[in-house]
Amino acid sequence: MAPVGSYPPVSPIVAGLRCRCPRCGEGRLFKGYLTLVDECEHCGLHLADSDSGDGPAVFLIFIVGFLAVGLAIWVEVTWEPAVWVHALVSGGFVIGLSLLLLRPAKAYVMALQYRHRRDEFEG
Ligand SMILES: [Zn+2]
């Protein structure tokens, strides 16, 4: 384990997309779907008490909602399907994209918290 100050800065976007530790960019951030590891396996950063709150969900509500409305308009203009088709297409799109993006969004918010409030992570 290297001393705390010896890690080069990690881009929050890269750490978020890879779901990696915000300090070293190498260790896994999650031990389940959204459960954080207690500490980084690579650098030892304590992560068990970290909390990203509702930030990742709010990001996704805006992003996925915007895309879902665009998809619904495009499907309606292109095929004019029945309402139940809209429910299936939009529902599947929203649920699938949300599940796909929630982990990277949470990792991204954790990386931003580490960058701007590092003392909360390192005591
Ligand atoms: Zn680490």
Side-chain angles (χ1 to χ4, degrees):
M1 235 179 278
V4 171
S6 65
Y7 293 96
V10 175
S11 164
I13 293 174
V14 172
L17 288 175
R18 295 180 64 218
C19 296
R20 297 297 174 178
C21 169
R23 180 162 72 185
C24 67
E26 296 297 325
R28 290 180 304 114
L29 191 59
F30 300 108
K31 62 183 172 186
Y33 180 64
L34 288 176
T35 306
L36 294 172
V37 295
D38 293 334
E39 65 179 37
C40 174
E41 63 199 7
H42 189 261
C43 70
L45 178 66
H46 184 71
L47 295 163
D49 299 330
S50 304
D51 184 17
S52 59
D54 295 334
V58 171
F59 271 134
L60 289 183
I61 286 170
F62 288 116
I63 294 169
V64 174
F66 175 79
L67 294 174
V69 169
L71 175 68
I73 291 171
W74 178 73
V75 167
E76 177 61 28
V77 169
T78 305
W79 292 295
E80 297 179 18
V83 172
W84 66 267
V85 174
H86 276 293
L88 281 179
V89 171
S90 296
F93 178 80
V94 167
I95 292 170
L97 195 58
S98 297
L99 290 174
L100 181 71
L101 294 179
L102 196 51
R103 276 172 60 107
K106 183 171 181 172
Y108 175 67
V109 170
M110 296 292 298
L112 286 177
Q113 286 180 333
Y114 178 76
R115 174 174 278 195
H116 298 289
R117 298 191 320 219
R118 184 167 302 179
D119 54 331
E120 291 180 12
F121 286 83
E122 297 174 349

